[in-house]
Amino acid sequence: QVQLQQWGAGLLKPSETLSLTCAVYGGSFSYYSWTWIRQSPEKGLEWIGEVNHSGSTNFNPSLKSRATMLVDMSKNQFSLKLTSVTAADTAMYYCARKYRGYLFDHWGQGAQVTVSS
Amino acid sequence: EIVLTQSPATLSLSPGERATLSCRASQSVNNYLAWYQQKPGQAPRLLIYDASNRATGIPARFSGSGSGADFTLTISSLEPEDFAVYYCQHQGNWYTFGQGTKLEIK
């Protein structure tokens, strides 16, 4: 049974850096790509980016300049950093497993991130 | 960027009725179209992939159809647990979602 458990700071001030980590339990970590998706009332579901086991990344062009994703194979974990946050980055952030090239079949529980001065 | 447009925004039906949800792409997506269900306080759940294939553990009352740029999610007979928000999703240059259809109890 595959489970994703995520954590990170929930309240940030403008210009700070968002940092989230997702741990994967069960299944093969190295076989899949691992993604971050966020959800807000204004933008709906928005794909942020993905990282594979070797550390290769792809990002949504709208966030590429501010986003970094890393993978820690020894812990079956991957992480997201998003710099220079603004109120527009306020959202529920999910980690998820990418499956069959474009699907997201296992999700973390979500982490609410609020950016406010 | 391919834009996915879902309709209606809200669908009000009663348990036992048939639900038909639409997703239209701004251009052909070659059947790489998925549907997700999201309940309050939960992450989205994969229902349908490649337009018409049910994901593991999804009941047979859920079915997907369509091709090219027009797709439909059908729930043949609504159960109380089916009232939720439904999203379609596609792989383009990156991954995009529709804005969702809220299926509510009438």
Side-chain angles (χ1 to χ4, degrees):
Chain A
Q1 181 73 2
V2 177
Q3 290 188 327
L4 280 70
Q5 184 174 354
Q6 58 183 107
W7 63 90
L11 181 60
L12 298 171
K13 297 185 186 307
S15 80
E16 291 186 334
T17 296
L18 178 157
S19 181
L20 296 170
T21 301
C22 185
V24 180
Y25 302 98
S28 171
F29 186 79
S30 60
Y31 185 75
Y32 298 93
S33 289
W34 303 93
T35 71
W36 291 96
I37 295 166
R38 67 183 184 181
Q39 184 174 30
S40 64
E42 297 77 20
K43 296 183 181 179
L45 288 161
E46 182 180 28
W47 177 78
I48 299 170
E50 63 185 14
V51 62
N52 67 14
H53 68 281
S54 65
S56 178
T57 55
N58 288 303
F59 294 105
N60 187 319
S62 68
L63 297 167
K64 185 176 183 178
S65 62
R66 297 193 292 128
T68 302
M69 291 185 187
L70 298 174
V71 63
D72 185 339
M73 290 284 293
S74 67
K75 296 181 180 179
N76 283 6
Q77 294 178 2
F78 61 105
S79 63
L80 168 69
K81 290 190 186 299
L82 190 65
T83 61
S84 305
V85 297
T86 69
D89 295 309
T90 294
M92 180 70 76
Y93 284 73
Y94 294 101
C95 58
R97 187 177 81 170
K98 194 178 82 168
Y99 173 68
R100 292 178 65 100
Y102 74 105
L103 307 172
F104 308 109
D105 66 334
H106 291 280
W107 297 64
Q109 78 276 21
Q112 177 64 43
V113 175
T114 302
V115 181
S116 174
S117 55
Chain B
E1 176 186 352
I2 294 177
V3 176
L4 299 176
T5 302
Q6 293 186 240
S7 62
T10 303
L11 184 58
S12 300
L13 294 170
S14 300
E17 291 192 294
R18 181 184 186 91
T20 303
L21 289 68
S22 174
C23 177
R24 176 165 291 180
S26 55
Q27 62 190 75
S28 176
V29 297
N30 295 324
N31 289 1
Y32 291 124
L33 193 285
W35 290 93
Y36 295 80
Q37 175 194 66
Q38 188 177 31
K39 297 180 181 180
Q42 298 183 14
R45 172 193 180 197
L46 178 64
L47 295 177
I48 300 288
Y49 65 93
D50 295 350
S52 62
N53 296 298
R54 278 189 301 276
T56 302
I58 301 304
R61 64 181 181 274
F62 290 91
S63 64
S65 62
S67 62
D70 285 302
F71 299 90
T72 300
L73 174 68
T74 301
I75 310 171
S76 59
S77 179
L78 286 165
E79 297 287 341
E81 62 267 27
D82 298 338
F83 292 92
V85 181
Y86 292 83
Y87 296 94
C88 57
Q89 178 244 324
H90 163 67
Q91 172 192 18
N93 291 328
W94 56 93
Y95 311 97
T96 58
F97 294 83
Q99 81 281 14
T101 290
K102 182 179 181 180
L103 179 55
E104 64 177 23
I105 298 176
K106 186 175 182 179

